[in-house]
Amino acid sequence: MMWYRERSPRRTPTPGAAVLTALSFPLLAALAACANSDAVPAEATEPLSGTEAVAAPVQPAEAATPSVRAARGPALDLPPNELGEIMVLEYHRLGEPEGEFYRSREHFAQDLQNLYDAGFRPITMRQMLAGDINLPAGTTPVVFTFDDSSTGQFYLRGDGSVDPNTMVGMWTAFSQANPEWENGGTWCVLPAADHPSNFFGELPSREVDRTTREDRIRRKVDYLISNGHEICNHTLYHARLDKARDQAQVQEWIGRGEDSIRVYLPEDYEIVTLALPLGMWPATKSLAWSGTYKGHSYEYQGILEVSGGPNVSPFDRSFNGHSVNRVIVAPGALPRALTRYEKEPGKRFISDGDPRTIAVPDSLSSRVAKDRWPNLQLKTGS
Ligand SMILES: [Zn+2]
């Protein structure tokens, strides 16, 4: 795309450099990237790969004096079960009318509150893949994923402040009001999709000079990563990977997407998660998690599907980072899930408050993938 360039050293953001008028939400209705259904018939270029390697876990960052954490906010008074389910929630646009791809502001705020009240705490995909679940005892991890980088998700106002009516704005306000709501979400961005899905609604470069535009994107990316959020690749512009004409095109859509995002990231930042546009796999599945474009390789530990329900724990033998199921936050979906967990709390991942251990009931100990987690201590008998 026009402003694509090769990876370059990161520049220091200049706060307050640009002034943009906030866009109104109805504008969003014009574009539904995820809901796109284009009519071009699928053309398989490669037979489906029969070998689906299980993702290797990301090594956790060096543990900073881990200790057992007691919850200060809402938590369950139940024994730990770190083999329980983890919901990976999938959000798209903010707005109304609600549907699979739209969540109202009111309901998004309510989702945060309801999950918190029910003892859930956010972690990123990166943390889940690394088994780095550093949550208080009695709480359950939940991953928030946000696809398509649209304006309603994150916008900087003219004075450079975060628009409080965006998802990032609401998240920030919620975590300030509830300090136990730590960590962040996973933002699967489209660097070159049509406005307003290009890096949270940045204006096309023909409407604003390129330096200003890139500076604003950089400040948003900086804001996310310095506040515990994760940046995830959602390909260059949301093309269906199953419709690529060949393997090179798959790698271009993913690799060029990665390179275009990396321009805004610190040099040492690794993108570890990719969300498949519309959940469609390339004919050669492994190209979704590993490939090369123009001499740059990409490698993902986590590949996000678009549906499938709650995911198994990363400590479970059956966990496959290369196929992570998600729960689309469609109308009614989250209340239903929470009601189910109320009735069957044993299905939930329940933390023991100690990130050094995998704490499970005796009856489940044979399901623990001990070989994948040599640094974590298995603790049974709960
Ligand atoms: Zn999408």
Side-chain angles (χ1 to χ4, degrees):
M1 296 291 111
M2 280 180 72
W3 51 275
Y4 168 77
R5 57 190 161 87
E6 296 299 323
R7 195 173 305 176
S8 63
R10 182 169 180 244
R11 286 179 291 151
T12 315
T14 332
V19 176
L20 275 188
T21 321
L23 291 161
S24 58
F25 288 111
L27 238 180
L28 293 173
L31 285 118
C34 256
N36 272 347
S37 63
D38 74 41
V40 182
E43 34 190 337
T45 52
E46 286 291 316
L48 279 178
S49 145
T51 51
E52 276 181 58
V54 171
V58 184
Q59 287 312 309
E62 215 162 292
T65 55
S67 56
V68 177
R69 282 180 64 189
R72 291 193 301 276
L76 297 179
D77 189 17
L78 284 173
N81 175 13
E82 297 186 341
L83 278 186
E85 296 171 357
I86 299 180
M87 285 193 290
V88 178
L89 302 177
E90 179 180 344
Y91 286 92
H92 296 86
R93 304 231 167 162
L94 191 69
E96 291 174 80
E98 283 198 320
E100 264 192 27
F101 301 106
Y102 281 85
R103 193 75 175 147
S104 72
R105 269 180 284 190
E106 187 194 357
H107 282 157
F108 181 69
Q110 214 170 71
D111 294 347
L112 299 175
Q113 189 69 55
N114 290 346
L115 284 160
Y116 180 69
D117 290 345
F120 288 81
R121 300 286 193 282
I123 59 166
T124 59
M125 270 314 300
R126 181 192 304 279
Q127 287 175 283
M128 179 168 167
L129 295 162
D132 175 23
I133 302 177
N134 188 3
L135 294 179
T139 63
T140 299
V142 57
V143 181
F144 283 74
T145 64
F146 301 90
D147 286 13
D148 301 352
S149 57
S150 55
T151 320
Q153 292 182 357
F154 189 12
Y155 203 74
L156 294 178
R157 295 190 292 193
D159 63 0
S161 62
V162 176
D163 185 335
N165 294 313
T166 59
M167 284 167 158
V168 171
M170 286 189 277
W171 181 288
T172 303
F174 189 80
S175 61
Q176 282 165 355
N178 303 281
E180 280 272 293
W181 188 262
E182 298 171 322
N183 304 317
T186 295
W187 303 82
C188 300
V189 302
L190 299 165
D194 287 341
H195 177 76
S197 276
N198 54 339
F199 265 125
F200 312 112
E202 277 313 315
L203 291 171
S205 49
R206 63 180 178 278
E207 291 176 35
V208 58
D209 69 273
R210 179 173 160 167
T211 309
T212 303
R213 184 174 182 282
E214 291 182 359
D215 175 66
R216 290 179 56 84
I217 295 172
R218 186 165 282 105
R219 280 190 286 141
K220 286 190 281 196
V221 169
D222 278 345
Y223 181 91
L224 288 175
I225 60 179
S226 59
N227 284 283
H229 296 277
E230 174 190 1
I231 302 291
C232 146
N233 185 1
H234 197 23
T235 76
L236 190 61
Y237 53 82
H238 214 272
R240 285 180 54 159
L241 298 175
D242 60 325
K243 294 191 172 175
R245 65 173 172 267
D246 54 21
Q247 296 195 348
Q249 192 166 43
V250 171
Q251 293 172 91
E252 178 182 351
W253 284 338
I254 297 175
R256 196 167 162 195
E258 159 124 359
D259 286 350
S260 305
I261 298 165
R262 284 197 63 98
V263 167
Y264 301 100
L265 291 166
E267 279 292 298
D268 59 353
Y269 190 96
E270 274 183 64
I271 300 175
V272 298
T273 312
L274 173 101
L276 295 168
L278 300 161
M280 303 310 291
W281 286 90
T284 304
K285 288 184 94 171
S286 63
L287 289 178
W289 60 79
S290 180
T292 305
Y293 172 71
K294 284 202 172 168
H296 296 166
S297 60
Y298 59 85
E299 193 82 44
Y300 304 115
Q301 279 81 34
I303 303 291
L304 301 176
E305 306 273 6
V306 289
S307 57
N311 207 76
V312 297
S313 160
F315 305 130
D316 194 304
R317 284 191 184 284
S318 64
F319 178 81
N320 178 5
H322 285 159
S323 174
V324 174
N325 290 331
R326 293 198 280 177
V327 175
I328 299 176
V329 188
L334 200 49
R336 274 198 300 279
L338 292 178
T339 303
R340 173 175 163 263
Y341 285 131
E342 232 170 78
K343 288 182 188 149
E344 301 177 279
K347 292 227 186 297
R348 288 168 62 157
F349 183 113
I350 301 174
S351 174
D352 71 337
D354 186 346
R356 298 164 301 184
T357 60
I358 302 173
V360 299
D362 280 333
S363 58
L364 298 181
S365 62
S366 64
R367 270 176 47 195
V368 176
K370 294 190 204 78
D371 47 332
R372 282 170 56 90
W373 306 103
N375 300 329
L376 300 180
Q377 188 199 330
L378 176 62
K379 209 169 123 193
T380 55
S382 51

